[in-house]
Amino acid sequence: MDASDYNKSSYDQKKNAQDVVSLVDDLLKKAVDSAASDVHFEPTGSELLVKFRLDGVLGTIEKLPKSLSDNVIARLKVLGGLLTYRNDIPQEGRIEISHDYNDRIIDRRLAVFPTIHGQRAVVRLFYKNAELMELEQLGFSPDIYSALKKIAAKNQSVLLLTGPAGSGKSTTLAALLRHILRNFPGKSIVTLEDPVEIRIEGVTQTQITPHGQMTFPTALRSLLRQDPQVLMIGEIRDAETAKIAIEAGLTGHLLMSTMHSGTPAGALLRLLEMGIEPYQVTSSVSAVLNQRLVRKLCTKCKSKTEAAVFEAVGCEVCFNTGYKGRVLIAEMVQLDSQLRKAILAKADLDELENILKSKGHTNMLEDGKRLVREGITTEEELNKVCGVVLDDS
């Protein structure tokens, strides 16, 4: 996406140091108006690139003169409450939400990082989305939706969510917690997060501060003495947290968390690599949910091909990308006797994947094909998100 396609003259009268305040405000407003999830300010040797992440894809929307770079970053640091005189260290902060945005934005986070061309800044935007509050609104296949409801009804279990950053894991966990609140009133629900991304009325949420004394393991140990019934940990990052989380799942708690892994089988093996005993994994983990987000075809400009599938075209509504919004694709592995035996036998990744294949497991790519058939996304987008490389020969 080129800057000229987005806005050819919005900033022509603002590209000087005196108008930096107005310039930054205007850029952040444009980001919200276009539903960008991130705004990147990237310095180069000759200019400052401003990029928006729209529906997961990063594109340049403005090129500012190099002479404005320091002033723009300084303005962002003022907004985020950071040290303007420290240009040699990474800094993180929050930008206060103005009254113009408080009905649309939950949070705005700022991260600044030094580079050889100056400081790089990223503003992350978190939106209120009433359409993605409940479990049934997320777009899971009927089988996965039914399985998640059954797990949410359990008193003792571990559910792991996997996927890269920005794949909707926090939204899914929040929807699960709301489902439990609504269907099983009276349960004690506590979360440990770094940071708290989605606030949920009726849930005790605790934020773990980076480099603070209250780490995930410390907080989790203490929480287990607070009589919680449902625990949500933002992420299992290390062996110590993994050990306590698995023990919680073995001692009468429903625990949900995320892990960085490309596949459900990979997540199970990662627990073993963290030092969790195979019998503990098989006794505590009920399921692993792996999910991604794919871009939806723009409803204003999508076109049907001769092969009876839809393709991306591009228009002003979708900034000439052909896509507008995103939708969920997922796969879920529930531990049965065959998988438990394989884990106890310390099977490797290939063995676990072969077992799933023999059982007719619906992987994420196959789940996404229903969206292609329904004209919601394209096969090209699906292959890209799932990491499928087609042979052109």
Side-chain angles (χ1 to χ4, degrees), residues 23-69:
L23 170 62
V24 170
D25 289 347
D26 197 13
L27 284 167
L28 296 179
K29 182 180 184 302
K30 290 291 184 184
V32 174
D33 291 341
S34 60
S37 61
D38 304 83
V39 184
H40 289 227
F41 296 84
E42 298 185 1
T44 69
S46 59
E47 57 197 355
L48 178 68
L49 301 179
V50 182
K51 301 179 179 181
F52 286 1
R53 188 176 295 283
L54 301 169
D55 298 326
V57 178
L58 196 64
T60 300
I61 61 98
E62 182 67 14
K63 297 177 181 179
L64 302 176
K66 181 70 173 176
S67 58
L68 284 182
S69 183

Side-chain angles (χ1 to χ4, degrees), residues 9-16 19:
S9 59
S10 297
Y11 310 115
D12 288 349
Q13 297 178 356
K14 295 182 180 180
K15 291 179 180 177
N16 55 73
D19 291 327

Side-chain angles (χ1 to χ4, degrees), residues 60-304:
T60 300
I61 61 98
E62 182 67 14
K63 297 177 181 179
L64 302 176
K66 181 70 173 176
S67 58
L68 284 182
S69 183
D70 289 345
N71 290 332
V72 168
I73 301 299
R75 175 57 184 167
L76 288 168
K77 290 164 81 172
V78 169
L79 290 173
L82 306 183
L83 302 175
T84 56
Y85 58 87
R86 291 302 303 268
N87 302 330
D88 58 335
I89 58 171
Q91 296 190 66
E92 296 180 8
R94 272 189 166 88
I95 297 177
E96 187 177 345
I97 301 169
S98 66
H99 294 298
D100 297 336
Y101 303 140
N102 59 12
D103 62 331
R104 300 173 62 186
I105 296 291
I106 299 172
D107 200 2
R108 295 192 296 183
R109 297 192 198 127
L110 170 66
V112 179
F113 197 87
T115 77
I116 59 170
H117 294 301
Q119 296 173 91
R120 180 181 189 272
V122 176
V123 178
R124 296 200 68 192
L125 302 169
F126 296 84
Y127 296 86
K128 297 178 181 178
N129 197 333
E131 296 178 355
L132 297 176
M133 297 283 284
E134 306 300 334
L135 196 58
E136 59 268 23
Q137 296 175 318
L138 301 188
F140 286 113
S141 67
D143 288 344
I144 292 180
Y145 174 54
S146 176
L148 286 173
K149 288 196 296 181
K150 289 177 181 177
I151 291 172
K154 292 185 177 183
N155 294 322
Q156 178 175 319
S157 181
V158 173
L159 171 66
L160 297 176
L161 273 67
T162 66
S167 59
K169 299 187 298 296
S170 296
T171 300
T172 297
L173 286 172
L176 276 165
L177 295 181
R178 292 191 191 96
H179 175 83
I180 294 170
L181 279 171
R182 186 176 67 250
N183 292 279
F184 308 99
K187 280 198 171 184
S188 171
I189 306 175
V190 183
T191 75
L192 296 177
E193 303 169 72
D194 174 22
V196 173
E197 292 188 359
I198 302 171
R199 299 187 181 183
I200 307 168
E201 192 68 31
V203 173
T204 300
Q205 295 176 272
T206 302
Q207 183 157 302
I208 303 299
T209 305
H211 313 301
Q213 291 187 353
M214 188 168 74
T215 62
F216 273 108
T218 301
L220 189 50
R221 280 198 194 91
S222 180
L223 267 183
L224 292 177
R225 296 189 287 271
Q226 291 277 323
D227 190 33
Q229 292 165 289
V230 181
L231 280 164
M232 191 274 274
I233 307 173
E235 184 184 349
I236 294 177
R237 299 178 178 176
D238 53 60
E240 190 176 7
T241 304
K243 182 179 179 182
I244 304 168
I246 294 298
E247 288 175 355
L250 292 169
T251 55
H253 302 86
L254 173 59
L255 185 136
M256 296 177 283
S257 186
T258 70
M259 288 183 70
H260 282 295
S261 175
T263 64
L268 295 170
L269 290 182
R270 189 170 175 219
L271 288 174
L272 300 179
E273 292 167 356
M274 286 179 167
I276 308 300
E277 293 294 333
Y279 76 88
Q280 291 181 313
V281 174
T282 58
S283 301
S284 61
V285 178
S286 287
V288 182
L289 176 68
N290 187 28
Q291 65 179 63
R292 302 287 189 278
L293 295 174
V294 296
R295 291 183 295 170
K296 296 166 63 177
L297 279 164
C298 175
T299 56
K300 297 292 184 182
C301 66
K302 69 179 183 179
S303 174
K304 205 166 192 177

Side-chain angles (χ1 to χ4, degrees), residues 305-355:
T305 67
E306 293 180 359
V309 294
F310 286 92
E311 64 179 356
V313 178
C315 65
E316 291 183 1
V317 173
C318 61
F319 303 105
N320 289 316
T321 64
Y323 298 92
K324 186 71 174 176
R326 290 192 288 176
V327 65
L328 189 71
I329 59 172
E331 63 179 323
M332 189 174 193
V333 169
Q334 299 185 73
L335 268 69
D336 58 12
S337 58
Q338 189 178 3
L339 279 173
R340 288 189 172 96
K341 287 177 183 176
I343 293 170
L344 289 171
K346 298 185 178 180
D348 61 19
L349 184 60
D350 288 340
E351 290 177 275
L352 292 180
E353 295 287 4
N354 286 333
I355 290 173

